[in-house]
Amino acid sequence: MPAMGAAGAEVKPVSLEDCLRMGLEKNLDIRLAQYAPLLTKLSLSSALWTYEPTMNMSASQSFRASPGFVGIGQFNPGVNESWTEQYSAGFGGTVPTGLSYNIASGVNRNSGLTQSGAQPFVYSPFTSITLTQPMLRNFWIDQPRLTIQLEKRNLKQGELGVRNQMIGTLTDVTLAYNDLIAARETVKVQQKALQLAERQLAENKKRVEVGNMAPLDEKEAAAQVARSKADLISAEQQLMLSENALKRLITDDFSGVKDVVFEPTAQLVAVPESFNRLDSWHKGLTTRPDIQRSKLDLEKQRLTMRFTRNQLFPQLDLLGSYGLAGQGSTLTPSLGNIADQQYPNHSAGIRLTVPFSNRRARNDHQAAKLRNEQLLLQYKQLEQRSEETRLNSSHANISYAVFCLK
Protein backbone atom coordinates (compact mmCIF):
# COMPACT_ATOMS: atom_id res chain seq x y z
CA MET A 1 0.00 0.00 0.00
CA PRO A 2 1.68 3.26 -1.07
CA ALA A 3 2.25 5.92 1.53
CA MET A 4 0.22 9.13 1.52
CA GLY A 5 1.65 12.60 1.43
CA ALA A 6 0.97 15.32 3.97
CA ALA A 7 -1.62 16.94 1.71
CA GLY A 8 -3.37 13.64 1.01
CA ALA A 9 -1.51 13.01 -2.26
CA GLU A 10 -0.41 9.52 -3.16
CA VAL A 11 3.34 9.00 -2.90
CA LYS A 12 4.70 6.52 -5.43
CA PRO A 13 8.31 5.33 -5.10
CA VAL A 14 9.88 4.96 -8.55
CA SER A 15 13.27 3.70 -9.67
CA LEU A 16 15.11 4.81 -12.79
CA GLU A 17 14.42 1.43 -14.39
CA ASP A 18 10.68 1.86 -13.74
CA CYS A 19 10.72 5.28 -15.38
CA LEU A 20 12.66 4.03 -18.40
CA ARG A 21 10.23 1.14 -18.87
CA MET A 22 7.20 3.41 -18.61
CA GLY A 23 8.82 5.85 -21.01
CA LEU A 24 9.26 3.14 -23.65
CA GLU A 25 5.69 1.93 -23.19
CA LYS A 26 3.73 5.15 -22.80
CA ASN A 27 5.74 8.08 -24.13
CA LEU A 28 3.58 9.85 -26.71
CA ASP A 29 6.53 10.98 -28.85
CA ILE A 30 7.65 7.36 -29.29
CA ARG A 31 4.13 6.23 -30.10
CA LEU A 32 3.76 8.98 -32.68
CA ALA A 33 7.11 8.11 -34.28
CA GLN A 34 6.02 4.48 -34.67
CA TYR A 35 3.36 5.51 -37.19
CA ALA A 36 5.94 6.66 -39.76
CA PRO A 37 7.28 3.16 -40.68
CA LEU A 38 3.75 1.72 -40.61
CA LEU A 39 2.57 4.29 -43.15
CA THR A 40 5.69 3.78 -45.25
CA LYS A 41 5.07 0.03 -45.37
CA LEU A 42 1.67 0.73 -46.89
CA SER A 43 3.23 3.10 -49.43
CA LEU A 44 5.84 0.47 -50.34
CA SER A 45 3.13 -2.15 -50.76
CA SER A 46 1.23 0.22 -53.04
CA ALA A 47 4.38 0.83 -55.09
CA LEU A 48 4.96 -2.93 -55.49
CA TRP A 49 1.39 -3.24 -56.75
CA THR A 50 2.66 -1.73 -60.02
CA TYR A 51 3.95 -5.16 -61.06
CA GLU A 52 0.78 -7.04 -60.26
CA PRO A 53 -1.02 -8.08 -63.48
CA THR A 54 -4.47 -6.73 -64.20
CA MET A 55 -7.24 -8.78 -65.74
CA ASN A 56 -9.74 -7.38 -68.22
CA MET A 57 -12.88 -8.75 -69.83
CA SER A 58 -15.23 -7.20 -72.37
CA ALA A 59 -18.37 -8.02 -74.32
CA SER A 60 -20.03 -5.85 -76.94
CA GLN A 61 -22.57 -5.99 -79.70
CA SER A 62 -22.92 -3.61 -82.62
CA PHE A 63 -25.37 -3.15 -85.49
CA ARG A 64 -24.90 -1.20 -88.67
CA ALA A 65 -27.22 -0.51 -91.59
CA SER A 66 -25.96 0.94 -94.88
CA PRO A 67 -27.78 1.93 -98.08
CA GLY A 68 -27.55 0.05 -101.32
CA PHE A 69 -25.12 1.06 -103.99
CA VAL A 70 -25.04 1.85 -107.68
CA GLY A 71 -22.10 0.65 -109.69
CA ILE A 72 -21.17 -0.05 -113.30
CA GLY A 73 -23.66 -2.65 -114.45
CA GLN A 74 -24.95 -3.06 -110.87
CA PHE A 75 -27.85 -1.60 -109.02
CA ASN A 76 -28.75 -2.59 -105.45
CA PRO A 77 -31.50 -0.44 -104.02
CA GLY A 78 -31.86 -2.51 -100.84
CA VAL A 79 -30.41 -2.03 -97.38
CA ASN A 80 -27.38 -3.89 -96.11
CA GLU A 81 -27.26 -4.78 -92.42
CA SER A 82 -24.45 -6.23 -90.29
CA TRP A 83 -24.25 -7.57 -86.75
CA THR A 84 -21.01 -7.98 -84.81
CA GLU A 85 -20.51 -9.51 -81.37
CA GLN A 86 -17.16 -9.33 -79.63
CA TYR A 87 -16.09 -11.24 -76.53
CA SER A 88 -12.57 -11.03 -75.11
CA ALA A 89 -10.58 -11.61 -71.93
CA GLY A 90 -6.95 -11.14 -71.03
CA PHE A 91 -4.44 -9.76 -68.60
CA GLY A 92 -1.42 -7.53 -68.78
CA GLY A 93 1.11 -5.63 -66.76
CA THR A 94 4.77 -4.74 -66.46
CA VAL A 95 7.88 -6.40 -65.05
CA PRO A 96 10.83 -4.74 -63.24
CA THR A 97 12.80 -4.46 -66.52
CA GLY A 98 10.21 -2.04 -67.86
CA LEU A 99 8.78 -4.70 -70.17
CA SER A 100 5.03 -4.35 -70.65
CA TYR A 101 2.95 -7.29 -71.82
CA ASN A 102 -0.62 -7.96 -72.76
CA ILE A 103 -2.13 -11.40 -73.37
CA ALA A 104 -5.61 -11.49 -74.85
CA SER A 105 -8.01 -14.09 -76.21
CA GLY A 106 -11.55 -13.86 -77.55
CA VAL A 107 -13.96 -14.45 -80.37
CA ASN A 108 -15.86 -12.27 -82.84
CA ARG A 109 -19.18 -13.38 -84.32
CA ASN A 110 -20.38 -11.62 -87.48
CA SER A 111 -23.54 -11.89 -89.51
CA GLY A 112 -25.56 -9.68 -91.82
CA LEU A 113 -28.43 -9.12 -94.22
CA THR A 114 -27.93 -8.26 -97.88
CA GLN A 115 -30.11 -8.13 -100.98
CA SER A 116 -29.54 -11.82 -101.44
CA GLY A 117 -30.77 -12.60 -97.93
CA ALA A 118 -29.46 -13.26 -94.46
CA GLN A 119 -25.85 -14.30 -94.18
CA PRO A 120 -24.75 -17.10 -91.86
CA PHE A 121 -22.78 -16.34 -88.71
CA VAL A 122 -19.00 -16.36 -89.06
CA TYR A 123 -16.91 -17.10 -85.95
CA SER A 124 -13.43 -15.56 -85.71
CA PRO A 125 -11.57 -16.59 -82.53
CA PHE A 126 -8.15 -15.15 -81.73
CA THR A 127 -5.37 -15.24 -79.17
CA SER A 128 -2.35 -12.95 -79.01
CA ILE A 129 0.52 -11.62 -76.91
CA THR A 130 2.02 -8.15 -77.28
CA LEU A 131 5.35 -7.03 -75.77
CA THR A 132 7.00 -3.62 -75.48
CA GLN A 133 10.52 -3.29 -74.05
CA PRO A 134 12.21 0.12 -73.51
CA MET A 135 15.87 0.09 -74.53
CA LEU A 136 17.06 3.59 -73.57
CA ARG A 137 14.76 5.76 -71.49
CA ASN A 138 13.10 3.73 -68.69
CA PHE A 139 15.39 0.73 -69.36
CA TRP A 140 17.66 0.44 -66.32
CA ILE A 141 15.35 2.53 -64.09
CA ASP A 142 11.92 4.04 -64.44
CA GLN A 143 9.45 5.81 -62.17
CA PRO A 144 7.97 2.65 -60.56
CA ARG A 145 11.42 1.21 -59.79
CA LEU A 146 12.59 4.56 -58.45
CA THR A 147 9.52 4.84 -56.21
CA ILE A 148 10.05 1.33 -54.81
CA GLN A 149 13.72 1.95 -54.03
CA LEU A 150 12.92 5.30 -52.39
CA GLU A 151 10.13 3.78 -50.30
CA LYS A 152 12.46 1.00 -49.10
CA ARG A 153 14.88 3.61 -47.84
CA ASN A 154 12.05 5.67 -46.39
CA LEU A 155 11.08 2.60 -44.41
CA LYS A 156 14.62 2.31 -43.02
CA GLN A 157 14.57 6.00 -42.17
CA GLY A 158 11.25 5.59 -40.38
CA GLU A 159 12.65 2.74 -38.31
CA LEU A 160 15.74 4.82 -37.53
CA GLY A 161 13.43 7.69 -36.56
CA VAL A 162 11.72 5.44 -34.02
CA ARG A 163 15.11 4.34 -32.68
CA ASN A 164 16.31 7.93 -32.50
CA GLN A 165 13.15 8.95 -30.63
CA MET A 166 13.61 6.07 -28.20
CA ILE A 167 17.22 7.07 -27.53
CA GLY A 168 16.23 10.70 -27.04
CA THR A 169 13.34 9.79 -24.76
CA LEU A 170 15.47 7.46 -22.60
CA THR A 171 18.07 10.21 -22.31
CA ASP A 172 15.43 12.78 -21.38
CA VAL A 173 13.88 10.40 -18.82
CA THR A 174 17.28 9.78 -17.22
CA LEU A 175 18.04 13.50 -17.03
CA ALA A 176 14.55 14.31 -15.73
CA TYR A 177 14.84 11.58 -13.10
CA ASN A 178 18.20 12.95 -11.92
CA ASP A 179 16.82 16.51 -12.02
CA LEU A 180 13.96 15.40 -9.79
CA ILE A 181 16.41 13.90 -7.29
CA ALA A 182 18.45 17.09 -7.35
CA ALA A 183 15.33 19.23 -6.93
CA ARG A 184 14.19 17.18 -3.93
CA GLU A 185 17.65 17.49 -2.36
CA THR A 186 17.62 21.22 -3.02
CA VAL A 187 14.30 21.54 -1.20
CA LYS A 188 15.78 19.67 1.77
CA VAL A 189 18.79 22.00 1.78
CA GLN A 190 16.58 25.09 1.64
CA GLN A 191 14.36 23.73 4.42
CA LYS A 192 17.44 23.19 6.57
CA ALA A 193 18.70 26.64 5.69
CA LEU A 194 15.37 28.16 6.73
CA GLN A 195 15.46 26.31 10.03
CA LEU A 196 18.98 27.60 10.73
CA ALA A 197 17.94 31.13 9.75
CA GLU A 198 14.90 31.01 12.05
CA ARG A 199 17.02 29.63 14.90
CA GLN A 200 19.56 32.39 14.37
CA LEU A 201 16.76 34.99 14.40
CA ALA A 202 15.38 33.59 17.68
CA GLU A 203 18.84 33.69 19.27
CA ASN A 204 19.45 37.25 18.08
CA LYS A 205 16.13 38.39 19.54
CA LYS A 206 17.13 37.03 22.96
CA ARG A 207 20.52 38.73 22.76
CA VAL A 208 18.89 42.04 21.82
CA GLU A 209 16.50 41.72 24.75
CA VAL A 210 19.36 41.27 27.25
CA GLY A 211 21.39 43.97 25.57
CA ASN A 212 24.18 41.78 24.18
CA MET A 213 23.42 42.55 20.52
CA ALA A 214 22.45 45.58 18.51
CA PRO A 215 18.90 45.70 17.04
CA LEU A 216 20.46 45.98 13.57
CA ASP A 217 21.78 42.42 13.83
CA GLU A 218 18.27 41.23 14.63
CA LYS A 219 16.93 42.89 11.49
CA GLU A 220 19.71 41.30 9.41
CA ALA A 221 18.74 37.87 10.76
CA ALA A 222 15.08 38.58 9.92
CA ALA A 223 16.10 39.51 6.37
CA GLN A 224 18.00 36.24 6.09
CA VAL A 225 14.86 34.35 7.13
CA ALA A 226 12.90 36.13 4.41
CA ARG A 227 15.55 35.25 1.84
CA SER A 228 15.56 31.61 2.97
CA LYS A 229 11.77 31.46 2.65
CA ALA A 230 12.00 32.86 -0.89
CA ASP A 231 14.72 30.34 -1.76
CA LEU A 232 12.56 27.53 -0.39
CA ILE A 233 9.54 28.64 -2.43
CA SER A 234 11.73 28.78 -5.55
CA ALA A 235 13.13 25.30 -4.82
CA GLU A 236 9.62 23.89 -4.29
CA GLN A 237 8.52 25.46 -7.57
CA GLN A 238 11.48 23.87 -9.36
CA LEU A 239 10.63 20.53 -7.71
CA MET A 240 7.10 20.72 -9.10
CA LEU A 241 8.40 21.56 -12.59
CA SER A 242 10.92 18.71 -12.47
CA GLU A 243 8.28 16.23 -11.34
CA ASN A 244 5.85 17.33 -14.07
CA ALA A 245 8.59 17.06 -16.70
CA LEU A 246 9.24 13.45 -15.67
CA LYS A 247 5.51 12.63 -15.64
CA ARG A 248 5.10 14.04 -19.14
CA LEU A 249 7.85 11.76 -20.43
CA ILE A 250 6.64 8.50 -18.90
CA THR A 251 2.85 8.62 -19.19
CA ASP A 252 0.15 9.05 -21.84
CA ASP A 253 -2.41 10.19 -19.25
CA PHE A 254 -0.99 13.20 -17.43
CA SER A 255 -4.25 14.02 -15.68
CA GLY A 256 -4.27 10.55 -14.14
CA VAL A 257 -0.96 11.11 -12.32
CA LYS A 258 -1.01 14.87 -11.74
CA ASP A 259 -1.83 14.36 -8.06
CA VAL A 260 0.65 11.50 -7.56
CA VAL A 261 3.96 12.39 -5.93
CA PHE A 262 6.87 10.54 -7.54
CA GLU A 263 9.55 9.69 -4.99
CA PRO A 264 12.85 8.55 -6.58
CA THR A 265 14.39 5.55 -4.89
CA ALA A 266 17.88 6.21 -6.25
CA GLN A 267 20.49 8.72 -5.18
CA LEU A 268 22.80 10.89 -7.25
CA VAL A 269 26.19 9.21 -7.42
CA ALA A 270 29.05 10.75 -9.39
CA VAL A 271 30.95 7.93 -11.08
CA PRO A 272 33.85 9.00 -13.36
CA GLU A 273 33.93 7.17 -16.70
CA SER A 274 36.65 7.00 -19.31
CA PHE A 275 36.02 6.78 -23.08
CA ASN A 276 38.14 5.72 -26.03
CA ARG A 277 38.17 8.51 -28.60
CA LEU A 278 38.52 6.39 -31.72
CA ASP A 279 35.98 3.85 -30.53
CA SER A 280 33.47 6.59 -29.70
CA TRP A 281 34.02 8.20 -33.10
CA HIS A 282 33.48 4.91 -34.90
CA LYS A 283 30.34 4.09 -32.93
CA GLY A 284 28.97 7.55 -33.55
CA LEU A 285 29.37 7.29 -37.34
CA THR A 286 28.02 3.77 -37.59
CA THR A 287 25.21 3.63 -35.03
CA ARG A 288 23.82 7.13 -34.53
CA PRO A 289 20.34 7.21 -36.14
CA ASP A 290 20.63 10.80 -37.37
CA ILE A 291 23.85 10.01 -39.24
CA GLN A 292 22.36 6.83 -40.67
CA ARG A 293 19.33 8.80 -41.85
CA SER A 294 21.65 11.30 -43.50
CA LYS A 295 23.42 8.48 -45.34
CA LEU A 296 20.07 7.17 -46.55
CA ASP A 297 19.22 10.65 -47.82
CA LEU A 298 22.38 10.50 -49.94
CA GLU A 299 21.42 7.05 -51.25
CA LYS A 300 17.96 8.28 -52.18
CA GLN A 301 19.39 11.28 -53.99
CA ARG A 302 21.82 9.11 -55.96
CA LEU A 303 18.87 7.00 -57.07
CA THR A 304 17.06 10.15 -58.15
CA MET A 305 20.14 11.28 -60.09
CA ARG A 306 20.27 7.88 -61.79
CA PHE A 307 16.64 8.25 -62.81
CA THR A 308 16.95 11.82 -64.07
CA ARG A 309 20.04 10.87 -66.08
CA ASN A 310 18.10 8.02 -67.70
CA GLN A 311 15.37 10.47 -68.68
CA LEU A 312 17.90 12.39 -70.82
CA PHE A 313 17.88 9.57 -73.38
CA PRO A 314 15.33 9.33 -76.19
CA GLN A 315 12.55 6.78 -76.00
CA LEU A 316 13.49 3.64 -77.97
CA ASP A 317 11.12 0.70 -77.67
CA LEU A 318 11.29 -2.81 -79.08
CA LEU A 319 7.84 -3.97 -80.21
CA GLY A 320 6.73 -7.51 -80.81
CA SER A 321 3.55 -9.51 -81.03
CA TYR A 322 2.43 -13.00 -81.89
CA GLY A 323 -1.05 -14.40 -82.33
CA LEU A 324 -3.26 -17.09 -83.81
CA ALA A 325 -6.61 -16.69 -85.53
CA GLY A 326 -9.36 -18.91 -86.81
CA GLN A 327 -12.56 -18.68 -88.81
CA GLY A 328 -15.55 -20.90 -89.39
CA SER A 329 -19.30 -21.09 -89.61
CA THR A 330 -19.43 -22.65 -86.16
CA LEU A 331 -17.30 -22.11 -83.09
CA THR A 332 -15.72 -25.56 -82.83
CA PRO A 333 -14.06 -25.68 -86.27
CA SER A 334 -12.81 -22.12 -85.88
CA LEU A 335 -11.17 -23.02 -82.57
CA GLY A 336 -9.59 -25.98 -84.35
CA ASN A 337 -7.84 -23.51 -86.66
CA ILE A 338 -6.14 -22.02 -83.60
CA ALA A 339 -5.21 -25.43 -82.22
CA ASP A 340 -3.68 -26.37 -85.59
CA GLN A 341 -1.96 -22.95 -85.86
CA GLN A 342 -3.29 -22.56 -89.38
CA TYR A 343 -3.43 -18.75 -89.37
CA PRO A 344 -0.52 -17.33 -87.33
CA ASN A 345 0.34 -13.65 -87.29
CA HIS A 346 3.34 -11.90 -85.82
CA SER A 347 5.08 -8.54 -85.92
CA ALA A 348 8.31 -6.93 -84.76
CA GLY A 349 9.63 -3.40 -84.88
CA ILE A 350 11.12 -0.44 -83.10
CA ARG A 351 9.67 2.90 -82.12
CA LEU A 352 11.85 5.97 -81.53
CA THR A 353 10.61 9.12 -79.82
CA VAL A 354 13.01 12.08 -79.63
CA PRO A 355 12.02 15.32 -77.88
CA PHE A 356 13.13 18.54 -79.56
CA SER A 357 14.84 20.18 -76.59
CA ASN A 358 14.32 17.84 -73.61
CA ARG A 359 14.76 20.93 -71.46
CA ARG A 360 12.67 19.63 -68.59
CA ALA A 361 14.71 16.42 -68.28
CA ARG A 362 17.99 18.37 -68.38
CA ASN A 363 16.80 20.81 -65.72
CA ASP A 364 15.59 17.95 -63.51
CA HIS A 365 18.97 16.22 -63.77
CA GLN A 366 20.85 19.42 -62.99
CA ALA A 367 18.63 20.05 -59.96
CA ALA A 368 19.22 16.47 -58.77
CA LYS A 369 23.00 16.96 -58.94
CA LEU A 370 22.80 20.22 -57.00
CA ARG A 371 20.63 18.58 -54.37
CA ASN A 372 23.18 15.77 -54.07
CA GLU A 373 25.98 18.29 -53.47
CA GLN A 374 23.82 19.99 -50.84
CA LEU A 375 23.22 16.71 -49.01
CA LEU A 376 26.94 15.92 -49.08
CA LEU A 377 27.71 19.23 -47.40
CA GLN A 378 24.99 18.63 -44.82
CA TYR A 379 26.47 15.21 -44.07
CA LYS A 380 29.95 16.71 -43.62
CA GLN A 381 28.42 19.37 -41.39
CA LEU A 382 26.81 16.67 -39.28
CA GLU A 383 30.13 14.83 -39.01
CA GLN A 384 31.88 18.00 -37.86
CA ARG A 385 29.24 18.69 -35.23
CA SER A 386 29.52 15.11 -34.00
CA GLU A 387 33.30 15.45 -33.70
CA GLU A 388 32.92 18.78 -31.88
CA THR A 389 30.42 17.28 -29.45
CA ARG A 390 32.66 14.30 -28.85
CA LEU A 391 35.70 16.52 -28.16
CA ASN A 392 33.69 18.74 -25.82
CA SER A 393 32.46 15.66 -23.95
CA SER A 394 36.01 14.34 -23.76
CA HIS A 395 37.29 17.58 -22.21
CA ALA A 396 34.35 17.64 -19.81
CA ASN A 397 35.14 14.10 -18.67
CA ILE A 398 38.81 15.03 -18.11
CA SER A 399 37.81 18.08 -16.07
CA TYR A 400 35.35 16.01 -14.06
CA ALA A 401 37.98 13.39 -13.34
CA VAL A 402 40.42 16.06 -12.12
CA PHE A 403 37.68 17.54 -9.94
CA CYS A 404 36.97 14.12 -8.41
CA LEU A 405 40.66 13.59 -7.70
CA LYS A 406 40.78 16.86 -5.84
Side-chain angles (χ1 to χ4, degrees):
M1 186 71 178
M4 302 299 292
E10 177 184 353
V11 179
K12 181 178 181 180
V14 290
S15 64
L16 177 59
E17 290 73 16
D18 294 334
C19 293
L20 294 175
R21 177 181 51 79
M22 289 188 288
L24 290 176
E25 294 176 354
K26 299 183 178 182
N27 182 267
L28 292 177
D29 291 331
I30 293 179
R31 293 172 62 180
L32 285 173
Q34 290 172 342
Y35 280 93
L38 295 177
L39 293 172
T40 305
K41 285 181 180 179
L42 294 176
S43 299
L44 177 58
S45 179
S46 298
L48 292 172
W49 180 84
T50 304
Y51 299 119
E52 293 185 3
T54 57
M55 185 176 182
N56 57 82
M57 293 181 291
S58 66
S60 64
Q61 185 183 61
S62 61
F63 170 80
R64 180 179 180 183
S66 59
F69 63 90
V70 178
I72 300 177
Q74 290 183 332
F75 175 70
N76 184 4
V79 176
N80 296 322
E81 297 178 352
S82 62
W83 294 271
T84 301
E85 298 176 8
Q86 296 180 333
Y87 306 93
S88 65
F91 65 94
T94 58
V95 297
T97 64
L99 172 71
S100 60
Y101 61 91
N102 185 65
I103 300 174
S105 182
V107 61
N108 298 332
R109 190 171 76 156
N110 303 293
S111 182
L113 177 64
T114 63
Q115 188 68 24
S116 59
Q119 302 297 315
F121 280 106
V122 176
Y123 291 85
S124 303
F126 65 89
T127 182
S128 64
I129 178 171
T130 304
L131 304 174
T132 302
Q133 173 63 59
M135 297 304 297
L136 291 177
R137 182 185 296 181
N138 297 326
F139 176 50
W140 58 83
I141 189 171
D142 55 10
Q143 186 62 56
R145 279 176 280 178
L146 173 65
T147 302
I148 290 172
Q149 293 300 320
L150 293 180
E151 290 297 343
K152 287 182 177 179
R153 284 156 180 80
N154 288 337
L155 178 58
K156 293 181 181 178
Q157 286 186 320
E159 293 171 347
L160 287 171
V162 175
R163 183 168 176 264
N164 188 56
Q165 185 60 56
M166 292 174 65
I167 292 174
T169 299
L170 293 178
T171 301
D172 292 340
V173 169
T174 302
L175 294 176
Y177 186 84
N178 292 333
D179 287 343
L180 178 59
I181 297 176
R184 291 174 66 86
E185 294 299 323
T186 301
V187 169
K188 293 179 182 179
V189 170
Q190 295 302 329
Q191 289 174 342
K192 187 66 175 179
L194 177 59
Q195 292 175 2
L196 294 176
E198 290 175 342
R199 183 185 304 171
Q200 185 65 41
L201 176 60
E203 293 178 356
N204 288 355
K205 284 183 178 181
K206 292 179 180 179
R207 292 180 181 177
V208 170
E209 290 175 357
V210 299
N212 291 334
M213 181 175 288
L216 183 61
D217 293 330
E218 179 185 351
K219 294 183 180 298
E220 177 63 27
Q224 181 60 42
V225 170
R227 286 194 295 269
S228 297
K229 289 181 178 180
D231 291 340
L232 177 59
I233 292 174
S234 178
E236 291 174 342
Q237 178 70 16
Q238 184 59 46
L239 173 60
M240 182 190 67
L241 295 176
S242 300
E243 189 171 3
N244 288 339
L246 180 61
K247 291 177 180 178
R248 178 182 57 81
L249 290 169
I250 63 176
T251 183
D252 55 2
D253 183 18
F254 186 84
S255 61
V257 296
K258 62 183 179 64
D259 296 327
V260 178
V261 177
F262 281 6
E263 182 178 357
T265 59
Q267 295 181 350
L268 291 179
V269 179
V271 180
E273 294 186 15
S274 59
F275 300 93
N276 183 279
R277 176 182 298 183
L278 294 178
D279 182 62
S280 300
W281 175 247
H282 174 73
K283 288 182 178 179
L285 293 180
T286 55
T287 62
R288 275 185 50 175
D290 55 341
I291 293 181
Q292 296 303 308
R293 285 169 61 92
S294 181
K295 289 180 179 179
L296 287 172
D297 282 334
L298 285 171
E299 290 183 18
K300 289 163 56 178
Q301 192 57 35
R302 292 191 188 103
L303 286 169
T304 302
M305 287 177 55
R306 189 166 179 251
F307 171 73
T308 56
R309 181 176 178 272
N310 179 257
Q311 298 305 298
L312 297 175
F313 290 85
Q315 184 78 35
L316 178 63
D317 297 332
L318 292 182
L319 310 175
S321 66
Y322 181 81
L324 297 170
Q327 187 170 329
S329 57
T330 61
L331 182 58
T332 302
S334 61
L335 291 176
N337 297 152
I338 293 180
D340 297 336
Q341 301 183 12
Q342 292 185 11
Y343 307 111
N345 58 81
H346 52 80
S347 66
I350 61 174
R351 180 176 58 204
L352 179 65
T353 304
V354 182
F356 282 107
S357 65
N358 211 19
R359 181 178 300 175
R360 179 178 178 180
R362 288 188 283 109
N363 289 340
D364 289 345
H365 186 55
Q366 184 64 26
K369 291 195 295 184
L370 292 175
R371 176 60 178 162
N372 184 67
E373 294 175 2
Q374 182 185 36
L375 290 174
L376 280 172
L377 290 176
Q378 290 176 352
Y379 180 74
K380 291 182 179 179
Q381 187 180 55
L382 185 60
E383 279 188 334
Q384 286 187 353
R385 289 176 179 174
S386 301
E387 175 66 8
E388 180 185 2
T389 302
R390 187 190 59 76
L391 288 176
N392 292 339
S393 300
S394 176
H395 290 311
N397 290 330
I398 294 175
S399 300
Y400 178 71
V402 172
F403 174 79
C404 293
L405 289 175
K406 289 182 179 180

